Amino acid sequence: MKISWKKMREDKKWYRDYQAKEKELPETYQTAIKALDAYLMQFWGTDEFINLLDDMLAIFQENASENVPINALVGDDPVAFADELLAQYQQATWMRKQQDKLRNAFKELKS
């Protein structure tokens, strides 16, 4: 799949805007979302992954505005929190992309 320069510029702008919104969060929320970003970025697979990050940011913004403690939002296990988000966007993950490649390779063998 070929990526256009226009698409790359749009993605870069989206990411700068995303980071700017993260910086508007309270400090504990910033620390938490950046740690989650680092974890989640390992699973990036398709452009739909942007939706996962946007939704996570919206959750953080809403809870920060209501002064919900970060531990009440994320819970005791941040990996479980992140994995729940990933489960909602399985189609957008790198693993799903690799699984689809493998399935397609075997479909061709059946022909």
Side-chain angles (χ1 to χ4, degrees), residues 24-109:
E24 295 172 1
L25 293 168
E27 190 174 333
T28 56
Y29 273 75
Q30 285 183 44
T31 302
I33 201 167
K34 286 178 183 179
L36 286 163
D37 283 349
Y39 176 78
L40 292 170
M41 290 294 186
Q42 297 177 67
F43 301 97
W44 190 290
T46 69
D47 290 342
E48 293 174 38
F49 204 84
I50 288 173
N51 298 331
L52 181 152
L53 297 177
D54 280 339
D55 287 349
M56 180 176 67
L57 179 62
I59 291 167
F60 271 63
Q61 289 170 324
E62 180 180 332
N63 281 272
S65 72
E66 296 173 3
N67 295 315
V68 174
I70 196 69
N71 292 340
L73 169 60
V74 176
D76 293 332
D77 186 359
V79 174
F81 177 83
D83 288 348
E84 284 179 31
L85 287 171
L86 283 168
Q88 296 174 33
Y89 291 91
Q90 278 187 337
Q91 291 300 113
T93 64
W94 175 84
M95 183 58 98
R96 178 57 69 132
K97 194 174 179 180
Q98 298 310 309
Q99 291 167 342
D100 290 346
K101 275 185 178 179
L102 181 59
R103 286 185 183 103
N104 289 335
F106 274 80
K107 280 181 186 175
E108 291 174 15
L109 293 174

